[in-house]
Amino acid sequence: MRKMGIFNSIHVKFVLIYVMLILLALQIIGLYFSRELETTLKKNFTNSVQDRINLVEFSVREEMLKERTSDDPSPEASLRTVLSGFSSDDINEVRVIDSKYRIIASSVLDHQKTQIGQKSVDDIVKRAIISETPSSSVILFNKDIRERVLTQALPIMNGNEVIGALYVESNIEKVFDQIDEINRILAGAAAVSLTITIIIGIFIAQTFTRPISDMRRQAQAMAKGNYSRKVRVYGNDEMGQLAIAFNHLTNQLLESHSTTEAERRKLASVLENMTDGVISTDRKGRVSLINDSALGMLGMTSDLVLNRPINSILGIEKEYSFEDLVETRDSIPLDFSTEDQPSILRATFSVTQRETGFVNGLIVVLHDNTEQEKIDMERREFVSNVSHELRTPLTTMRSYLEALADGAWKNEEIAPAFLNVTQTETERMIRLVNDLLKLSRMDSKEYELNTEWVDFNTFFNSIIDRFEFSKSQKVSFRRIIPPVDLFVEVDTDKLTQVIDNIISNALKYSPDGGIVRFNVAVLEDSIRVSISDEGLGIPSANVNRIFDRFFRADKARSRAMGGTGLGLAIAKEMINAHGGKIWAHSVEGEGTTIFFTLPYEQHDDGEWDV
């Protein structure tokens, strides 16, 4: 999971929001408090100065209107005396200006020498005299003393006549110093309270975020498949109820996961052990699941199959689209045969869909019909071969019997020959039926081997001797048989029939002057017997088929010699019943060798046994 940044943490966000809210509240409170404090202090200072100005204005008006004698001091001197009595720390200067804007008195001694008799240039004085009303208080910055001052102008009235104006300059800088001091105290208190608030906010945030962090860790563990962890319940509030619900959800998910996993394993086991191939697709027809049986039938690997279209995998993309397969209700035959090995499959399609009818995909079941097709083909071929083998002698017999019925039996020269042919064909049919009965019993396992221990070399030599005694003088025998005792447990009657059939075929197909060779070799766990002739041989394409029923490499010659085409098929069944194997090797024009093996085991003490 991606690492979470510090500012993405809900804990930090909670504290930041909490602190921002406190800061906002403190800012609003501070601004309101500072503004109201400044307004109040200014108002109080202004009122205080105004009260004193009113007294000054009364005294100055009395002095300006006073009737003077020659002994009385001048008006300027009287006004200076009056103004000096009102000097204080709050009031920097008081000036008296007559109606013609001439400064006639000042409370500042330095200004008495420089400004007396000068015209006043202050706008508020002119406005006060002209408007005959007190001017508004104005705060200015005095460059001389580098402080803020409060200036006011008050007209001096004599009835309805303006006789002058009073200009007052007050030291309001102390008020601002008080405001700044109070603001510093307020800022310090806000900083302390904010610090305490942050600490408290961190603990409060932990109260909310600790259960959330536990749930986050639990969710991460659940995503990795760990359902053993539990979220700690810190209380009975909403967060506690959420933690209880989360733990309950964990238990439910654990049960659901266990059930799903068990079902998945069952399904995987079923699919793995099914002999039929199973393929599942998504809603677009792409392969999403395939079992090993299907891969084996298709001769592919999973990386070549997954996420590919199903009709392409089955080799039917030209005949069927995915929509056609969804609508298909009948199974479809598939031919994956090669030159070396046949492979006939049958595909059955089943649609998977939701309750709303939306198609989720297809389930394709592949059944291997190769053996069934082979059995059906062999059955048809067997019936055809039996019919053909019986039809030939029956046709011959019918012809000769019709001739005898038409009067040939009266001819002493022809009748015996006709009867001899009929008898020969009858015996041939009897041999054919007997061979078929033998094969039938072997196929149905309705026979038992009557085994006994025999010395195979002595047994094999006796059979060869019998054929050598009755053979034509134009074929010779050669034996390569080790001079040791090889005891094996076999059914001598059935093994004799096998060897007789092989030697008979070797004699039939050996040319005049040919040699039939007999060989016995001892292998690790068996003995291998081979019988070779020097006949015409068998084409390489037919070597593996000579053990099939009714197969003849040379059909005309086999029938002429009375063969049924079942001898080697019977020999194969009998050797297999003994636990051995039989096969052939042939080179066309050079001859044929028939090999078969029998189980054999040599003991450590030198004795030989099965």
Side-chain angles (χ1 to χ4, degrees):
M1 179 175 289
R2 183 169 58 88
K3 187 177 181 180
M4 184 173 59
I6 185 171
F7 291 104
N8 291 328
S9 171
I10 190 173
H11 187 116
V12 176
K13 288 180 179 179
F14 186 90
V15 174
L16 287 177
I17 293 173
Y18 182 73
V19 170
M20 289 174 65
L21 290 174
I22 297 299
L23 280 174
L24 180 61
L26 289 175
Q27 186 71 15
I28 294 173
I29 294 172
L31 289 174
Y32 178 78
F33 179 79
S34 297
R35 188 182 65 180
E36 293 298 321
L37 177 64
E38 182 178 351
T39 302
T40 302
L41 290 178
K42 286 180 179 180
K43 184 178 179 181
N44 292 337
F45 181 81
T46 302
N47 292 335
S48 174
V49 172
Q50 186 67 41
D51 291 341
R52 299 180 68 180
I53 289 174
N54 291 335
L55 293 175
V56 173
E57 187 270 338
F58 176 77
S59 299
V60 170
R61 185 175 66 247
E62 290 296 324
E63 287 295 330
M64 291 178 69
L65 295 176
K66 181 179 180 182
E67 294 182 0
R68 301 182 181 277
T69 63
S70 58
D71 295 330
D72 292 331
S74 63
E76 291 80 2
S78 299
L79 290 174
R80 283 197 298 269
T81 303
V82 171
L83 294 180
S84 62
F86 288 95
S87 61
S88 67
D89 293 336
D90 293 336
I91 299 176
N92 293 339
E93 182 181 6
V94 179
R95 298 176 193 168
V96 179
I97 300 96
D98 61 13
S99 59
K100 295 181 180 182
Y101 311 114
R102 187 172 61 86
I103 301 174
I104 59 175
S106 174
S107 63
V108 178
L109 182 62
D110 294 339
H111 290 174
Q112 290 178 2
K113 298 177 181 180
T114 59
Q115 294 182 359
I116 300 299
Q118 302 292 327
K119 273 198 170 186
S120 175
V121 295
D122 296 313
D123 291 337
I124 61 173
V125 172
K126 294 179 181 179
R127 285 198 297 269
I129 294 174
I130 294 171
S131 63
E132 300 179 358
T133 58
S135 66
S136 300
S137 301
V138 178
I139 298 176
L140 299 175
F141 183 76
N142 191 326
K143 295 181 180 180
D144 296 333
I145 61 175
R146 303 186 66 81
E147 291 180 350
R148 284 168 288 189
V149 294
L150 177 67
T151 61
Q152 293 175 293
L154 183 69
I156 302 173
M157 305 294 293
N158 180 21
N160 295 327
E161 180 183 1
V162 177
I163 60 174
L166 196 64
Y167 173 81
V168 181
E169 189 176 283
S170 307
N171 185 13
I172 201 172
E173 186 67 32
K174 294 180 179 180
V175 174
F176 285 102
D177 290 340
Q178 292 178 2
I179 294 174
D180 292 340
E181 182 66 23
I182 293 173
N183 287 336
R184 284 194 293 271
I185 295 172
L186 181 62
V192 173
S193 63
L194 185 61
T195 302
I196 297 173
T197 300
I198 292 174
I199 296 173
I200 296 174
I202 292 173
F203 286 105
I204 294 175
Q206 286 182 347
T207 304
F208 289 98
T209 60
R210 187 183 295 114
I212 297 175
S213 299
D214 288 347
M215 292 180 208
R216 178 178 62 85
R217 287 190 291 270
Q218 172 64 10
Q220 291 173 345
M222 289 167 60
K224 296 178 181 179
N226 181 12
Y227 297 93
S228 60
R229 295 182 78 257
K230 297 295 181 184
V231 178
R232 183 178 176 183
V233 180
Y234 292 94
N236 293 324
D237 56 2
E238 288 82 354
M239 297 300 295
Q241 295 298 320
L242 178 60
I244 294 172
F246 200 88
N247 289 334
H248 181 68
L249 174 63
T250 302
N251 294 331
Q252 294 295 323
L253 285 176
L254 177 60
E255 294 179 4
S256 299
H257 182 269
S258 301
T259 303
T260 303
E261 184 66 19
E263 294 298 326
R264 188 191 65 80
R265 290 179 180 175
K266 288 180 184 178
L267 179 60
S269 177
V270 170
L271 291 176
E272 188 69 24
N273 293 285
M274 283 183 66
T275 56
D276 289 342
V278 178
I279 305 175
S280 175
T281 73
D282 58 17
R283 60 187 180 86
K284 294 183 179 180
R286 293 174 300 201
V287 176
S288 58
L289 179 98
I290 183 169
N291 66 350
D292 292 340
S293 297
L295 291 174
M297 292 179 185
L298 298 175
M300 298 180 180
T301 56
S302 58
D303 57 336
L304 297 177
V305 174
L306 295 176
N307 295 321
R308 288 186 57 195
I310 183 64
N311 52 355
S312 174
I313 296 300
L314 300 180
I316 55 175
E317 64 272 15
K318 295 182 180 179
E319 296 85 1
Y320 298 91
S321 65
F322 177 69
E323 290 73 17
D324 295 333
L325 296 179
V326 171
E327 300 295 331
T328 299
R329 295 294 177 266
D330 299 328
S331 58
I332 298 176
L334 306 173
D335 189 353
F336 286 89
S337 301
T338 61
E339 295 181 358
D340 299 330
Q341 185 174 359
S343 179
I344 307 297
L345 307 179
R346 183 163 291 277
T348 304
F349 301 89
S350 176
V351 179
T352 59
Q353 56 188 17
R354 301 177 185 172
E355 295 180 356
T356 58
F358 181 80
V359 175
N360 285 331
L362 279 177
I363 299 295
V364 185
V365 179
L366 298 179
H367 181 68
D368 190 351
N369 276 7
T370 305
E371 292 299 324
Q372 185 63 39
E373 290 289 334
K374 187 185 295 185
I375 291 172
D376 293 341
M377 186 182 298
E378 290 178 353
R379 184 182 296 113
R380 291 191 295 270
E381 185 178 355
F382 177 77
V383 172
S384 176
N385 289 332
V386 170
S387 301
H388 183 73
E389 294 293 334
L390 291 175
R391 183 178 60 196
T392 301
L394 287 173
T395 302
T396 302
M397 291 175 61
R398 184 179 66 180
S399 300
Y400 281 93
L401 289 174
E402 288 177 352
L404 290 172
D406 290 340
W409 61 275
K410 296 179 181 179
N411 190 332
E412 296 180 357
E413 296 180 359
I414 299 176
F418 282 11
L419 291 173
N420 184 45
V421 171
T422 304
Q423 183 179 3
T424 300
E425 295 298 330
T426 301
E427 290 176 353
R428 179 181 171 186
M429 285 191 294
I430 292 173
R431 288 197 302 274
L432 177 61
V433 172
N434 288 335
D435 287 345
L436 289 174
L437 290 174
K438 289 179 183 178
L439 285 173
S440 177
R441 285 195 297 270
M442 290 179 181
D443 290 339
S444 60
K445 308 298 181 182
E446 294 180 355
Y447 68 96
E448 294 181 359
L449 294 178
N450 298 317
T451 60
E452 57 180 311
W453 289 96
V454 296
D455 178 7
F456 182 78
N457 286 342
T458 302
F459 170 73
F460 191 33
N461 279 317
S462 65
I463 297 175
I464 298 173
D465 291 341
R466 175 162 50 81
F467 275 92
E468 191 172 21
F469 178 76
S470 60
K471 73 177 178 61
S472 169
Q473 297 298 324
K474 296 180 180 180
V475 179
S476 60
F477 286 179
R478 291 188 183 177
R479 312 182 195 190
I480 304 176
I481 300 175
V484 294
D485 296 335
L486 303 176
F487 285 93
V488 293
E489 188 177 13
V490 295
D491 186 326
T492 55
D493 290 339
K494 290 182 172 55
L495 193 57
T496 299
Q497 185 177 355
V498 171
I499 298 174
D500 283 355
N501 187 283
I502 297 173
I503 296 177
S504 297
N505 286 338
L507 292 174
K508 287 179 185 178
Y509 296 104
S510 292
D512 293 340
I515 300 174
V516 177
R517 293 178 173 83
F518 304 92
N519 182 281
V520 177
V522 180
L523 306 179
E524 292 184 0
D525 56 356
S526 63
I527 59 173
R528 184 186 65 199
V529 181
S530 62
I531 301 173
S532 306
D533 63 54
E534 295 181 345
L536 297 177
I538 304 170
S540 58
N542 295 332
V543 172
N544 294 329
R545 297 187 59 198
I546 64 173
F547 297 100
D548 294 345
R549 300 173 186 184
F550 294 109
F551 178 81
R552 294 186 176 90
D554 187 349
K555 297 181 180 179
R557 187 175 180 185
S558 297
R559 287 197 179 92
M561 295 179 178
T564 63
L566 297 174
L568 289 179
I570 295 173
K572 179 180 179 181
E573 295 292 340
M574 290 182 175
I575 292 298
N576 290 340
H578 279 84
K581 297 180 180 179
I582 186 169
W583 69 97
H585 175 74
S586 180
V587 178
E588 195 169 4
E590 296 183 7
T592 302
T593 302
I594 304 296
F595 298 90
F596 68 86
T597 61
L598 293 172
Y600 175 72
E601 182 179 350
Q602 183 181 16
H603 291 297
D604 294 337
D605 57 2
E607 295 182 359
W608 300 81
D609 201 352
V610 232

